[in-house]
Amino acid sequence: MNILIFSVFLFSIFLSILAIWSTASLMHTLNITDKPDDEHKLHDTNTPFVGGVGVLAALCFAFILLINLHSEHFQKCIVLLICAIIIWSTGFLDDAIKLGYKLRFAIQALVALIMILWGGVVVNELGGLFFGFPLQLGTIGIIFTLIATIGGINALNMLDGVDGLSGSIALVSLLLIGVTTYIAQDQHNLILICALAGGVVGFLYFNLRHPYQRYARVFLGDNGSMLLGVMFAWLLVDIAQNPIPSITPVTAIWLFSIPLLDMFSVMVRRMCAGRSPFTPDRKHLHHLLMKSGFRISEIVFTITLLHGLLGIIGLAGMYSGVPEFAMLLGFLLILTGYFYLTYHPENFISLLRNFDILLNTRLRFAPVSNSKILIGSYSTQEAEALARAISDELGPKMNYWIRLFRKSSEPDHSGNCYAITLNIWLDKKDDFSKEMLRQYIVSLQRRLIEQRSIHLYRFSSRETDFDPVIHSKGSAFGESKVKSRRKLGPQALSFEILR
């Protein structure tokens, strides 16, 4: 069994990479790509949204195996395949021509009903939430499953806003779910999970940023996020409602925690502001981290780590016999705290900025820069104090980054030496003239000198993401590929901080 599972995982990775690589070129040729044509998007280059192709290819491979190895699940496999094709096609059309949200919801509801009525995957009971007594849903279970499935589909879709984030979250959830099915010896679901995990890894090969890949070459797209959302809804309901369940129903929400927390908080916050809960904005958790100065890699690491910890807490509670009511109450307390922090983000952003400074200095997340343009050279304590002084002076409401760079070792220095840069984002919708920018910069420089004895030295050009200087073209809210280099735009003011 172990050899089979490992082989399924490896072959699914290969199949996903091959499918994405072949279709990405075709999408570029046909000009069917995600184009940076509105203020909500963070990227500045046409990018194919074919991540779901790799996941679908791995899923089809799993279906072939399951039909041959577990013929008793033939009907379920066919129903799941139908659901996968419908939701993937809907997502692809939405990526290409932008379907209305009402039509998307109608199709998602149709897929959920197919899953419930034909596949028999439905929430019949919620476990011992009523002080240890089983809470049976009966026919209400159909409505509950319908709502839960639509919610799951859109939760992962709403989280898909930063390179590598949704894929990393999905992979962690699949690994944790895989642990439960392995322990329960649920082989047919374990094969499905390993194939999906391989498909996600293949996608992350193209989407995850790292020193050798400075930007995502493909996006997951609605086709991929909606497909994974359906798969999570199916798997979590199926393994929780089996005659011999792998998890309790309440554990399912812990294994899918961050997407659910973020979706609930964002939608309630929009309704409290008198807007439609489906209106896109820049108030998701990854946007708050970005506003706090986190780099893309730091955002993915932080949110994925938090998601994994919450999932592990859920599994630890289940396996140690913590009452299900207590586990639900614990999750609701976390949800309440999460909503409060994101509903009043000012203090939260200040804490995050200080946390980001510590990530860069104490955990050495700060990238190494050999740039001769950087003048400053500060010890760890000096760099932290200077960064906090800037953070306190500018406050939580202004959009800015504080960047720390480790300077290469110099003969007359021991330990780590840091240079510090400040990047201020101006609103993408605002049209600032050169004179307005000049006046703003002079005013800011004068204020910092008088109140903090801090000098700002403005940069004029930037070579890569890891250099502290800024180009004169592109978008302030993203980075564009121009002659194989990534560029920030004129609406992002970039300075070195000196004292």
Side-chain angles (χ1 to χ4, degrees), residues 158-159 258-267 284-285 338:
M158 293 173 72
L159 197 68
I258 289 297
L260 294 179
L261 293 172
D262 191 63
M263 179 185 69
F264 175 84
S265 299
V266 167
M267 295 183 74
H284 293 276
L285 178 59
Y338 183 93

Side-chain angles (χ1 to χ4, degrees), residues 419-474:
I420 312 173
T421 67
L422 171 67
N423 296 287
I424 300 175
W425 286 356
L426 305 178
D427 196 295
K428 196 173 183 180
K429 296 178 291 184
D430 292 341
D431 185 17
F432 287 86
S433 66
K434 289 184 178 180
E435 180 60 23
M436 291 171 64
L437 286 176
R438 189 191 68 80
Q439 292 177 2
Y440 176 80
I441 293 168
V442 169
S443 174
L444 178 64
Q445 289 174 325
R446 183 183 297 117
R447 179 159 57 96
L448 287 173
I449 290 174
E450 292 175 353
Q451 299 184 14
R452 299 279 181 171
S453 300
I454 293 175
H455 297 262
L456 297 181
Y457 175 77
R458 190 181 181 193
F459 295 119
S460 60
S461 63
R462 171 178 172 153
E463 294 302 319
T464 71
D465 282 345
F466 293 94
D467 286 330
V469 204
I470 190 167
H471 272 294
S472 59
K473 297 180 181 179

Side-chain angles (χ1 to χ4, degrees), residues 378-397:
Y378 304 100
S379 68
T380 298
Q381 291 75 20
E382 290 171 336
E384 290 175 356
L386 192 53
R388 287 197 185 97
I390 284 287
S391 180
D392 292 341
E393 182 63 33
L394 296 183
K397 293 185 178 181

Side-chain angles (χ1 to χ4, degrees), residues 8-200:
V8 169
F9 176 68
L10 289 181
F11 188 75
S12 296
I13 295 174
F14 168 77
L15 198 60
S16 177
I17 291 175
L18 181 63
I20 293 173
W21 176 78
S22 58
T23 53
S25 300
L26 178 62
M27 293 298 103
H28 274 300
T29 302
L30 298 176
N31 197 28
I32 304 176
T33 57
D34 192 350
K35 300 176 179 63
D37 55 1
D38 63 67
E39 65 188 36
H40 177 61
K41 298 182 180 180
L42 298 176
H43 64 286
D44 276 338
T45 184
N46 295 345
T47 307
F49 37 78
V50 294
V53 176
V55 178
L56 184 63
L59 187 60
C60 290
F61 168 62
F63 288 143
I64 294 172
L65 282 179
L66 290 173
I67 289 172
N68 285 278
L69 296 178
H70 297 275
S71 57
E72 68 275 14
H73 296 289
F74 177 81
Q75 181 178 343
K76 270 192 171 183
C77 289
I78 296 301
V79 172
L80 183 54
L81 178 60
I82 293 171
C83 291
I85 292 174
I86 293 174
I87 205 70
W88 180 87
S89 301
T90 302
F92 190 85
L93 285 173
D94 189 36
D95 288 323
I97 62 175
K98 300 302 175 190
L99 302 176
Y101 75 87
K102 292 181 180 179
L103 178 58
R104 289 201 311 271
F105 275 9
I107 297 174
Q108 291 169 6
L110 173 63
V111 168
L113 287 174
I114 293 173
M115 181 181 89
I116 295 167
L117 300 177
W118 289 359
V121 178
V122 60
V123 179
N124 293 311
E125 57 95 12
L126 294 177
L129 297 183
F130 190 66
F131 301 102
F133 296 100
L135 185 58
Q136 301 292 334
L137 296 181
T139 55
I140 300 177
I142 295 176
I143 300 174
F144 183 90
T145 309
L146 178 67
I147 296 172
T149 301
I150 295 175
I153 293 171
N154 289 282
L156 192 61
N157 179 262
M158 293 173 72
L159 197 68
D160 186 23
V162 171
D163 294 343
L165 179 58
S166 55
S168 298
I169 292 292
L171 182 60
V172 169
S173 288
L174 287 169
L175 292 176
L176 293 174
I177 296 170
V179 169
T180 66
T181 54
Y182 180 81
I183 293 174
Q185 297 186 350
D186 185 357
Q187 188 181 41
H188 81 278
N189 275 323
L190 184 56
I191 290 174
L192 183 60
I193 290 165
C194 286
L196 284 171
V200 172

